[in-house]
């Protein structure tokens, strides 16, 4: 391993000499880092490499399901790859990107879904802003398959909490040694599974971060997973009487939802600001008794299934398992994910390989008892529905956001999480505001995209400005370092989601429990025509 690291340094030195480029102290320090780093014996340095600004990094060994094979780097940095053993049968890969323009801040990014993939876009985004940034492949496997969890509880622990936390510990040490000084503040940025990881950190490892930005969090993970599987129970295979086609969802059902709920916020603009106020009645689309054409209407069986989709799922004894899918998410494709005529594959894998360790588990037999079992077993201690009192007490700040048209994780779960914390901590919103703020982003899909003003600085894709009033990461930095908490988060929507094509919407998204209403008199796409209000 030492010979390999020296060889990399020698090759890079030869490159700079060949092309006549001076090797400055930052480059030298990076090339020598493999030999100078002192880490414990559970961590192996795979390589260290100086990456100049403008480099298009390629990842030929990345699993195809990760969907990323290159990343442009916009600033000079030192790239460090490591392998960390968490037990005799589990490990994870991680990278630290150490920028030349370091601000003294440390940051960890999160993951997505069951992804065994480092989020290189987020590494590039945050390193460009001067954070020493780390990211892991989280569950100790590559790609999106959960088969690596089969009879390996240690790998499930990595997915549940350990890989992220351990990566933070290792990453901080790498950063401190490389810059020869302690970082000043520590931050976290993640969405979806990354949102769950952020909440888990606040609950279980409150000392890891000063500020956490957590989006669309997959909290109550076992219940969430059953909820995703339950769509098949309600709609069945494509030949079932209850099945509803994607075309129906995307056309007349979506149109009917907007007809019933779009104007609740005062503006008919194709965006439902607060889906909690939308009590959608699919029975409005029932075919009449004399109809011979059911192309634009629903049978009784179909209407009942649609109502089930937009209703909470309850378990044995009437306990809530998971809240309803929110109306408006259908246009972003939730039926294309969950109503396919087959059981949802991520849920199948979780029950087979993590809950039951039974590769022959039949997903077609899934019942409410399986939800109870998953919650009771809680593989890998993955649940993240606990008090954040420790994070509050150490002075941490939590910025939580959720798209209100999320087709993957219903946005209804986030107000419930906020209200749970309020009750558990015995603090009203006026007191929670001092360390925990939750923003509902109307029209946003899952983490990115949608027909609302979804660009809020949450990722490389969602970065339109570094203004703290309109960038959740920079809002968090300002909150932690200057004590200025965000009252709203301004989002922007470009035509075709392309900056050069002009602006469609600018909107200031309210912090919960406030909600946005249109007060006019100007265009709905202009922020000054909206107001954050309490009450219904």
């Amino acid at each position: 391993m030492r010979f390999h690291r020296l060889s990399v340094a020698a090759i890079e030195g030869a490159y700079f000499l060949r092309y006549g480029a001076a090797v400055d102290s930052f480059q030298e320090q990076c090339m020598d880092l493999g030999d100078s780093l002192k880490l414990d014996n559970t961590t192996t340095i795979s390589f260290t490499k100086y990456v100049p600004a403008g480099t298009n990094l390629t990842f030929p060994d990345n699993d195809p399901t990760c969907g990323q094979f290159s990343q442009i780097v916009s600033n000079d940095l030192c790239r460090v790859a490591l392998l960390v053993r968490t037990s005799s049968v589990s490990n994870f890969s991680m990278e630290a990107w150490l920028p030349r323009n370091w601000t003294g801040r440390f940051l960890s990014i999160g993951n997505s879904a069951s992804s065994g993939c480092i989020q290189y876009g987020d590494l590039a985004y945050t390193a460009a802003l001067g954070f020493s940034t780390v990211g892991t492949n989280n569950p100790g496997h590559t790609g999106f398959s959960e088969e690596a969890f089969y009879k390996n509880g240690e790998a499930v622990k990595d997915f549940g909490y350990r890989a992220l936390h351990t990566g933070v510990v290792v990453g901080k040490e790498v950063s401190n040694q490389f810059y020869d000084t302690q970082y000043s503040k520590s931050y976290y940025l993640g969405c979806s599974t990354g949102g769950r990881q952020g909440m888990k950190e606040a609950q279980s490892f409150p000392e890891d971060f000063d500020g956490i930005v957590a989006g669309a969090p997959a909290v109550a993970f076992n219940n969430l997973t059953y909820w995703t599987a339950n769509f098949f129970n309600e709609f069945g295979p494509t030949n079932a009487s209850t099945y509803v086609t994607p075309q129906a969802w995307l056309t007349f059902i979506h149109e009917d939802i907007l007809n019933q709920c779009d104007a609740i916020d005062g503006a008919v603009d194709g965006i439902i600001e607060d889906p909690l106020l939308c009590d959608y009645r699919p029975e409005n689309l029932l075919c009449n008794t004399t109809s011979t054409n059911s192309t634009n209407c629903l049978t009784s069986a179909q209407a009942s299934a649609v109502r089930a989709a937009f209703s909470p799922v309850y378990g044995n004894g009437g306990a809530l398992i998971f809240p309803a899918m929110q109306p408006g998410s259908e246009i972003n494709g939730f039926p294309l994910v969950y109503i396919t005529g087959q059981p949802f594959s991520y849920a199948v894998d979780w029950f087979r390989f993590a809950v039951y360790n039974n590769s022959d588990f039949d997903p077609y037999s899934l019942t409410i008892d399986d939800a109870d079992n998953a919650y009771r077993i809680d593989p890998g201690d993955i649940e993240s529905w606990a008090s954040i009192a420790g994070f509050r007490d150490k002075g941490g700040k939590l910025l939580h956001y959720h798209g209100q048209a999320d087709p993957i994780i219903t946005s209804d779960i986030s107000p419930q999480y906020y209200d749970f914390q309020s009750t558990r901590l015995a603090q009203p919103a006026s007191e929670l505001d001092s360390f925990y703020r939750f923003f509902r982003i109307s029209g946003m899909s899952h983490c990115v995209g949608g027909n609302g003003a979804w660009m809020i600085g949450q990722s490389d894709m969602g970065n339109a400005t570094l203004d703290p009033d309109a960038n959740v990461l920079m809002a968090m930095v300002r909150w932690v370092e200057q004590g200025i908490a965000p009252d709203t988060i301004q989002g922007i929507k470009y035509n075709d989601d392309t900056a050069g094509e002009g602006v469609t919407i600018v909107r200031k998204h309210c912090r919960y429990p406030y909600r946005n209403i249109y007060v006019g008199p100007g265009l709905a796409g202009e922020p000054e025509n909206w107001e954050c209000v309490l009450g219904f």
Side-chain angles (χ1 to χ4, degrees), residues 58-76:
T58 59
F59 315 111
D61 298 327
N62 226 13
D63 189 279
T65 61
C66 291
Q68 184 173 14
F69 302 98
S70 66
Q71 176 64 51
I72 295 175
V73 176
S74 62
N75 59 327
D76 296 347

Side-chain angles (χ1 to χ4, degrees), residues 265-400:
D265 54 36
V268 178
D269 59 353
I271 299 171
I272 300 173
E273 278 292 321
D274 187 351
L276 290 175
L277 301 182
C278 177
D279 185 14
Y280 175 60
R281 289 190 65 257
E283 295 79 9
N284 188 56
L285 292 175
L286 281 170
C287 303
N288 62 51
T289 56
T290 61
S291 175
T292 58
N293 182 359
S294 60
T295 303
N296 294 312
C297 60
L298 300 175
T299 66
S300 293
Q302 290 173 321
S304 294
V306 171
R307 175 164 286 281
F310 293 130
S311 299
V313 175
Y314 293 97
N316 293 320
L320 176 68
I321 290 181
F322 216 71
M325 177 58 86
Q326 77 280 1
S329 60
E330 66 286 340
I331 197 62
N332 289 325
F334 103 75
L336 302 178
V337 176
Y338 295 135
I339 305 173
T340 63
Q342 296 180 347
F344 184 52
S345 61
Y346 289 178
V348 172
D349 280 358
W350 184 250
F351 278 95
R352 277 181 175 164
F353 303 129
V355 176
Y356 290 127
N357 284 304
N358 177 7
S359 59
D360 295 325
F361 173 74
D362 178 13
Y364 294 92
S365 67
L366 200 72
T367 70
I368 208 73
D369 291 335
D370 296 302
D372 288 347
N373 289 339
Y375 180 81
R376 174 179 51 81
I377 295 169
D378 189 19
D381 189 23
I382 199 168
E383 284 297 336
S384 47
W385 199 271
S387 170
I388 57 172
F391 189 65
R392 174 201 62 191
D393 294 345
K394 65 91 63 176
K397 308 298 184 188
L398 173 60
L399 193 159
H400 169 190

Side-chain angles (χ1 to χ4, degrees), residues 138-478:
N138 189 28
H141 70 274
T142 57
F144 277 80
S145 171
E146 298 173 30
E147 193 168 355
F149 299 158
Y150 182 53
K151 295 186 177 179
N152 189 341
E154 296 297 326
V156 183
K157 285 182 184 178
D158 285 348
F159 178 60
Y161 68 92
R162 188 167 57 187
L164 192 287
H165 170 65
T166 305
V168 170
V169 173
V170 173
K172 286 180 176 179
E173 188 60 33
V174 171
S175 177
N176 290 346
Q177 290 189 36
F178 179 74
Y179 294 110
D180 195 28
T181 188
Q182 174 86 7
Y183 62 89
S184 58
K185 296 294 181 182
S186 178
Y187 296 92
Y188 176 81
L189 180 69
C191 189
S192 191
T193 282
R196 173 187 63 78
Q197 291 168 314
M199 296 304 189
K200 188 73 169 179
E201 281 285 308
Q203 295 161 19
S204 301
F205 305 102
E207 297 300 324
D208 278 359
F209 300 109
D210 297 296
I212 292 173
V213 179
V219 289
F221 185 83
N222 291 298
N223 286 4
L224 164 64
T225 304
Y226 176 82
W227 175 80
T228 66
N230 190 58
F231 285 99
F232 178 78
N233 292 343
E234 300 294 350
F235 289 90
T238 56
N239 61 355
S241 62
T242 48
Y243 181 76
V244 179
T245 67
Q247 180 68 13
W249 281 104
L250 297 174
T251 55
F252 68 89
I253 295 177
H254 177 62
E255 181 181 354
D256 191 53
I257 287 171
L258 292 182
N259 287 340
Q260 293 188 37
C261 297
D262 187 13
I264 292 173
D265 54 36
V268 178
D269 59 353
I271 299 171
I272 300 173
E273 278 292 321
D274 187 351
L276 290 175
L277 301 182
C278 177
D279 185 14
Y280 175 60
R281 289 190 65 257
E283 295 79 9
N284 188 56
L285 292 175
L286 281 170
C287 303
N288 62 51
T289 56
T290 61
S291 175
T292 58
N293 182 359
S294 60
T295 303
N296 294 312
C297 60
L298 300 175
T299 66
S300 293
Q302 290 173 321
S304 294
V306 171
R307 175 164 286 281
F310 293 130
S311 299
V313 175
Y314 293 97
N316 293 320
L320 176 68
I321 290 181
F322 216 71
M325 177 58 86
Q326 77 280 1
S329 60
E330 66 286 340
I331 197 62
N332 289 325
F334 103 75
L336 302 178
V337 176
Y338 295 135
I339 305 173
T340 63
Q342 296 180 347
F344 184 52
S345 61
Y346 289 178
V348 172
D349 280 358
W350 184 250
F351 278 95
R352 277 181 175 164
F353 303 129
V355 176
Y356 290 127
N357 284 304
N358 177 7
S359 59
D360 295 325
F361 173 74
D362 178 13
Y364 294 92
S365 67
L366 200 72
T367 70
I368 208 73
D369 291 335
D370 296 302
D372 288 347
N373 289 339
Y375 180 81
R376 174 179 51 81
I377 295 169
D378 189 19
D381 189 23
I382 199 168
E383 284 297 336
S384 47
W385 199 271
S387 170
I388 57 172
F391 189 65
R392 174 201 62 191
D393 294 345
K394 65 91 63 176
K397 308 298 184 188
L398 173 60
L399 193 159
H400 169 190
Y401 69 90
H402 205 144
Q404 297 301 285
D406 190 328
I408 306 298
I409 301 172
T410 173
S411 63
D412 287 10
I413 191 64
S414 281
Q416 291 194 8
Y417 181 85
Y418 181 96
D419 291 343
F420 163 78
Q421 294 295 345
S422 181
T423 301
R424 176 62 67 90
L425 300 174
Q427 292 183 280
S430 59
E431 293 183 5
L432 289 182
D433 271 353
S434 66
F435 67 94
Y436 174 21
R437 296 194 174 199
F438 163 46
F439 295 87
R440 295 186 285 178
I441 314 300
S442 59
M444 178 191 276
S445 185
H446 186 58
C447 298
V448 296
N451 66 341
W454 65 268
M455 298 183 74
I456 57 171
Q458 73 273 37
S459 65
D460 58 327
M461 290 179 61
N463 180 33
T465 176
L466 297 182
D467 181 349
D469 290 333
N471 182 300
V472 287
L473 178 55
M474 301 316 294
M476 176 55 73
V477 169
R478 185 174 64 178

